[in-house]
Amino acid sequence: GPAGGTTALDPATGAVRWSVDRWAGVAAARGGRLLVGVPETDIDDGLAVLDQDDGRLIADLGGWTLVPQHESGGPVLATRPLGGGRRLLAEVGLSGDPPTIRGTLTGTDCTTGMTLLVCRRPGGDYLVRRLM
């Protein structure tokens, strides 16, 4: 919803199957699980894995910010501030395990495709990193 929250509907009937207020914005759905984030109106970022059937929390992954993904099928990436303008880069799965650290970067405003991560650096140039 516009104020946050996630509602799952039964695809056959359109009836509400479950609803949660805390999480919003489904980023990925695989294997009966959903990767969700906090609503944009919240101060702290965060990610969690929910059960697709009942909305049960499987794992709260903590304060990660999703990297926008412009092509489906590639890895789901997230960042977290390290200080000094650097960010920690991790791959996020839907297993409920902690994100897998992939490295650090100094860019901001990152985006991904199937095989590339592109970030604008503070000086105006770009960082391009192959993901596979």
Side-chain angles (χ1 to χ4, degrees):
T6 297
T7 300
L9 304 177
D10 185 308
T13 66
V16 174
R17 291 175 70 184
W18 55 266
S19 184
V20 293
D21 291 333
R22 179 177 180 201
W23 304 105
V26 175
R30 294 183 193 132
R33 294 182 174 189
L34 304 173
L35 179 65
V36 295
V38 297
E40 291 181 22
T41 56
D42 284 358
I43 295 171
D44 297 324
D45 291 332
L47 297 175
V49 178
L50 303 182
D51 184 284
Q52 180 175 296
D53 292 330
D54 59 14
R56 176 180 49 86
L57 179 66
I58 293 171
D60 185 337
L61 303 177
W64 291 91
T65 302
L66 280 175
V67 174
Q69 192 173 24
H70 291 283
E71 294 178 84
S72 63
V76 178
L77 299 177
T79 63
R80 161 182 286 183
L82 281 175
R86 295 180 31 221
R87 299 187 67 77
L88 192 59
L89 176 67
E91 185 170 343
V92 180
L94 279 83
S95 64
D97 293 333
T100 303
I101 306 303
R102 300 281 298 263
T104 61
L105 50 91
T106 56
T108 60
D109 299 327
C110 297
T111 188
T112 65
M114 287 287 290
T115 60
L116 294 176
L117 169 72
V118 179
C119 300
R120 186 173 43 135
R121 290 185 171 173
D125 59 338
Y126 288 86
L127 164 77
V128 178
R129 182 183 286 182
R130 185 167 302 282
L131 295 174
M132 301 190 174

